[in-house]
Amino acid sequence: MTQVAKKLASTVAASIILALGVGVVGCSGEAEPEATVERAPFLIDQDFADPDVVHGDDGYVAFATENQGANVQFATSTDLVTWDVSTDDALPVLPAWASAGRTWAPDVSERADGSFVMYFSAEHADSGRQCIGSATSDSLTGPYVAVGAEPMICPLEEGGAIDPAAFVDDDGSRFLLWKNDGNCCELDTWIQIAPVSADGTQLAGPATPLVMQTEAWEGHLVEAPVLVERDGTYVLLYSANDYGSEDYAIGAATSPSLLGPYEKLPDPVLSTSSADDLYIGPGGQDVVSTPDGDVLVFHGWDDLFIYRGIAALPLDWEGAMPSVRLSTTD
C-alpha cells in the first residue's frame, strides 16, 4: 500500500473500529450496551463543501463553496491528510453581475504561463439564477480577480449553470464542464462540455451535452462533474440525487471519445450504503493524482446534517473502471 493510501486508510481504520457498534461482555458477564455508531472522521471537520484540490509547489490546496464570509474558502496540506484552513478569501471581490451569498463549487487549474484560472458559480443578480464566472491569479491561493462584466456561462433558459470543472486534453486543448441547473425549475439536468480559449476565460465553441439523470439512484438530477482520462478512455465522475440527503452519491460514466457518447456504470462508485454508512451523502468529488496513486476527495454530511466536511479515500482503477477502496489492508 502506498504512503498516501496508508495514511488515508489508517484514518478510516480508526473510524471503522468505532463504527462496528458491537456489544461487548463486561466483567459481570453481562453484555454491555452497544457502542454508539460513529462516522469516519473528516479531514476538514467543518463546512467545506464541493472541494477542488490542486497540487502546487508547496503541497496541495483545496478550494470550497463559500462559508463564514469567504466567497471561496481554501485550505492547504502537504499530504492530503492534515489540512490548515485559511482565514483569507481566495475570491474576495465578486464581479458586478453576481450577488453575494451563493458562491459555489470553485474549480482552479494552472494555465500554460504558470498563472491560474478559477471558475465559480454565483447568483446572477438580474435573474436570481446561478451562472458561472472566471477569475485569474498569478498565485495558486489568490487573490483571484474576476474576468469581465458578464458571466462566462449563463443559460437562463436552461435554469442557469453551476459546478464548473476544467479539463485539459492530452494535446493541451482546454475544456470546461458544467451542469445546467434545470432542477431549479422542473427542467432536465445535463452535464455539458465546451472548449475554452487558451487563457481559459472564455468559451471557444458550442456546448455538447454528455449525460442527464436516467438512473433510479440519480433521482431528479446529475451534477458536479469531474473528467479524467485513464487507459485511453474518458471517465466522467459526477454526483446525483438530493445533495441534502443520504441519497446523494457519486457515479461514473465512460467513453472512448471526449464528446461521448458516455455509458454509465449501473451503480454508484460511492454512496452512503456502499461506504458502510461511514460517510453520509458523499459527493462534490474531485480526483487527485499523487505519486502514490489517485485519491478521491469528497464531502459528506455530519450526523445532524448541519455541515459538510471533506474526506478522502484511495481510488483504484481496473483499466478505466474506478473503484473506491475502504479496506485498510494491503
Side-chain angles (χ1 to χ4, degrees):
M1 185 182 290
T2 63
Q3 292 302 309
V4 171
K6 284 180 179 177
K7 288 185 178 182
L8 295 173
S10 63
T11 301
V12 175
S15 65
I16 290 175
I17 292 171
L18 292 171
L20 290 176
V22 296
V24 297
V25 177
C27 295
S28 65
E30 295 181 359
E32 298 286 346
E34 289 190 348
T36 301
V37 175
E38 297 195 22
R39 311 293 178 182
F42 290 127
L43 301 179
I44 297 181
D45 193 11
Q46 64 186 65
D47 199 25
F48 203 86
D50 307 310
D52 173 67
V53 180
V54 182
H55 187 219
D57 292 337
D58 299 320
Y60 301 92
V61 181
F63 300 88
T65 286
E66 68 166 9
N67 185 38
Q68 298 178 344
N71 295 316
V72 173
Q73 303 181 81
F74 70 93
T76 56
S77 174
T78 59
D79 59 7
L80 287 176
V81 176
T82 302
W83 290 89
D84 180 19
V85 180
S86 176
T87 57
D88 292 332
D89 188 341
L91 184 66
V93 179
L94 292 177
W97 60 264
S99 299
R102 298 180 69 196
T103 310
W104 302 340
D107 178 277
V108 172
S109 61
E110 187 172 3
R111 302 193 290 184
D113 64 359
S115 64
F116 298 88
V117 59
M118 171 188 287
Y119 304 104
F120 60 93
S121 51
E123 183 178 66
H124 184 240
D126 289 344
S127 67
R129 304 294 190 203
Q130 292 291 112
C131 294
I132 292 171
S134 64
T136 61
S137 175
D138 289 333
S139 168
L140 174 56
T141 56
Y144 286 80
V145 177
V147 175
E150 298 296 333
M152 179 179 176
I153 303 170
C154 197
L156 299 182
E157 70 284 358
E158 299 176 6
I162 65 170
D163 295 348
F167 176 75
V168 181
D169 212 351
D170 288 339
D171 64 0
S173 301
R174 300 185 68 94
F175 296 84
L176 189 67
L177 297 94
W178 69 91
K179 164 230 181 170
N180 73 284
D181 203 23
N183 54 292
C184 76
C185 32
E186 299 184 352
L187 297 172
D188 287 330
T189 60
W190 282 92
I191 290 174
Q192 307 183 38
I193 188 171
V196 297
S197 57
D199 69 358
T201 65
Q202 304 292 329
L203 291 183
T208 299
L210 301 182
V211 298
M212 62 170 285
Q213 73 282 0
T214 56
E215 309 304 304
W217 72 265
E218 295 171 342
H220 299 295
L221 62 89
V222 294
E223 60 188 13
V226 174
L227 186 64
V228 297
E229 187 270 332
R230 292 292 180 273
D231 238 19
T233 298
Y234 294 92
V235 184
L236 174 67
L237 289 100
Y238 62 93
S239 301
N241 216 305
D242 177 8
Y243 86 95
S245 79
E246 65 180 18
D247 295 328
Y248 205 53
I250 299 169
T254 64
S255 174
S257 170
L258 174 64
L259 301 184
Y262 281 79
E263 181 179 353
K264 292 179 179 178
L265 276 62
D267 299 311
V269 173
L270 184 65
S271 65
T272 305
S273 60
S274 74
D276 297 329
D277 293 332
L278 290 173
Y279 306 98
I280 306 175
Q285 69 290 327
D286 194 16
V287 176
V288 185
S289 294
T290 80
D292 295 331
D294 285 350
V295 173
L296 186 73
V297 181
F298 56 94
H299 70 233
W301 284 103
D302 72 301
D303 277 329
L304 299 179
F305 284 84
I306 295 173
Y307 65 92
R308 290 171 287 172
I310 73 164
L313 290 170
L315 184 63
D316 296 328
W317 298 91
E318 184 175 346
M321 294 295 105
S323 63
V324 177
R325 193 188 330 149
L326 290 175
S327 171
T328 61
T329 60
D330 288 341

